[in-house]
Amino acid sequence: MEQIFGQDWEITPAGGATGEAFIARNEDQQLFLKRNSSPFLAVLSAEGIVPKLIWTKRLESGDVITAQRWMDGRELTHDEMNQEKVAHLLRKIHQSRPLLTMLKRLGKAPLKPEQIFEHTKAILDGEVLSDERVQKALAILQEMLPDVYCDEAVVCHCDVNHNNWLLSEDGHLYLIDWDGAMIADPAIDLGMLLHSYIAKNEWSSWLEKYGIGDSESLRKRMEWYVISQCLSFIQWHKLKKRFEEMNHWYRKLEKMLENHQE
């Protein structure tokens, strides 16, 4: 980093899951830096979904550094996920042709439920697989598989946690941290958001803000993807030794299993 900025800049880690994000400060100037970010970032910036991309530079090591405008703002709260602007931004993302075109150029192909199911099974280690809750979840996913097909394939963020929604001081809403993006059924994002933040009696109202109608098919697909994501997050946090977060997803999985039996 120093070869780009020199000694007048202070470079500090910005946290995050990958450890590849940094903050650069020099007096009143501040930038958000990321190492080896995907070219997808440029399209996200152009679409106004992430803070503006300022420049991209390649280091002698071959690493590519991107610098984005630093935004003074905050994460959304749990309750704010019910706001209309959240539904509208997610709809904009799901309908974006430039985002879809760029992900396809980067080699991403639409993922079908059976591919996600097989991948989920493959990544689980022996200890996780031996858990009774996980075995029950996998059985449910297998049983529901014929009911979760959808012809629509869009760009999905795949981690719509409220921590990834950034509200700037001027009121602009962004969705950040796109490392896990894929092309798939929009129910992947809708399911996790609704199951995590919106009361069930308000789902139809939220989906109306988003721009689609409620249906039994959509609810089944959302349930399927949330269970699948719970398993993936359990394994990911276990590998990172983030056991508190792992247990959070176990509890989320338990709730999904209880609701499935109702």
Side-chain angles (χ1 to χ4, degrees):
M1 294 290 184
E2 288 71 17
Q3 61 186 283
I4 295 177
F5 290 97
Q7 297 181 346
D8 293 335
W9 288 78
E10 178 188 4
I11 313 294
T12 57
T18 63
E20 299 287 351
F22 306 88
I23 300 170
R25 297 183 179 91
N26 180 11
E27 297 180 355
D28 59 344
Q29 298 182 66
Q30 196 160 313
L31 297 172
F32 177 78
L33 310 178
K34 191 125 186 221
R35 179 185 284 122
N36 295 330
S37 181
S38 166
F40 191 47
L41 180 63
V43 185
L44 290 166
S45 171
E47 292 279 280
I49 294 164
V50 300
K52 183 176 177 59
L53 180 65
I54 305 297
W55 49 253
T56 300
K57 295 183 180 180
R58 182 176 295 275
L59 305 182
E60 292 180 4
S61 63
D63 288 341
V64 175
I65 305 298
T66 53
Q68 288 173 266
R69 178 185 173 195
W70 178 263
M71 299 300 303
D72 289 319
R74 60 173 178 82
E75 302 169 350
L76 289 188
T77 66
H78 189 288
D79 292 340
E80 287 173 330
M81 295 295 285
N82 203 0
Q83 291 184 351
E84 190 168 329
K85 63 172 60 178
V86 173
H88 286 177
L89 180 55
L90 194 59
R91 181 65 166 175
K92 174 182 177 179
I93 290 163
H94 288 166
Q95 290 189 318
S96 172
R97 299 304 301 177
L99 293 183
L100 185 61
T101 299
M102 176 54 81
L103 271 195
K104 287 181 176 179
R105 283 182 185 169
L106 293 172
K108 298 269 190 180
L111 284 173
K112 300 298 184 184
E114 67 269 19
Q115 293 172 285
I116 293 173
F117 179 60
E118 292 302 324
H119 174 74
T120 301
K121 287 195 300 182
I123 65 172
L124 302 179
D125 66 26
E127 184 179 5
V128 173
L129 276 171
S130 67
D131 189 286
E132 183 179 339
R133 296 163 294 183
V134 173
Q135 293 175 10
K136 188 179 294 186
L138 288 171
I140 289 172
L141 292 178
Q142 179 82 67
E143 178 187 355
M144 292 181 67
L145 201 52
D147 298 323
V148 293
Y149 286 90
C150 174
D151 291 333
E152 190 176 11
V154 305
V155 171
C156 295
H157 181 277
C158 299
D159 188 9
V160 290
N161 186 289
H162 69 278
N163 297 322
N164 286 327
W165 296 82
L166 174 65
L167 183 66
S168 69
E169 289 188 344
D170 63 4
H172 194 100
L173 184 64
Y174 301 97
L175 182 56
I176 60 174
D177 195 358
W178 281 85
D179 292 339
M182 64 174 67
I183 302 172
D185 184 343
I188 287 180
D189 288 339
L190 294 172
M192 189 58 76
L193 196 153
L194 291 181
H195 276 275
S196 298
Y197 298 104
I198 313 300
K200 270 197 174 180
N201 62 359
E202 297 179 7
W203 282 12
S204 294
S205 173
W206 195 96
L207 289 167
E208 187 177 339
K209 297 174 193 172
Y210 171 83
I212 61 172
D214 198 355
S215 69
E216 185 63 28
S217 169
L218 176 59
R219 291 195 176 219
K220 283 184 177 180
R221 284 155 43 214
M222 291 194 300
E223 179 188 17
W224 193 92
Y225 284 113
V226 172
I227 293 173
S228 173
Q229 284 179 295
C230 283
L231 296 176
S232 296
F233 285 137
I234 286 167
Q235 183 64 64
W236 191 86
H237 286 297
K238 181 173 183 284
L239 288 173
K240 298 291 184 179
K241 301 189 185 302
R242 297 176 176 177
F243 299 117
E244 184 176 342
E245 290 93 336
M246 179 190 76
N247 289 327
H248 163 79
W249 288 105
Y250 266 124
R251 290 191 295 272
K252 177 78 174 175
L253 180 62
E254 288 172 0
K255 184 177 180 182
M256 293 300 298
L257 299 177
E258 289 170 6
N259 290 341
H260 181 76
Q261 294 172 349
E262 292 178 356

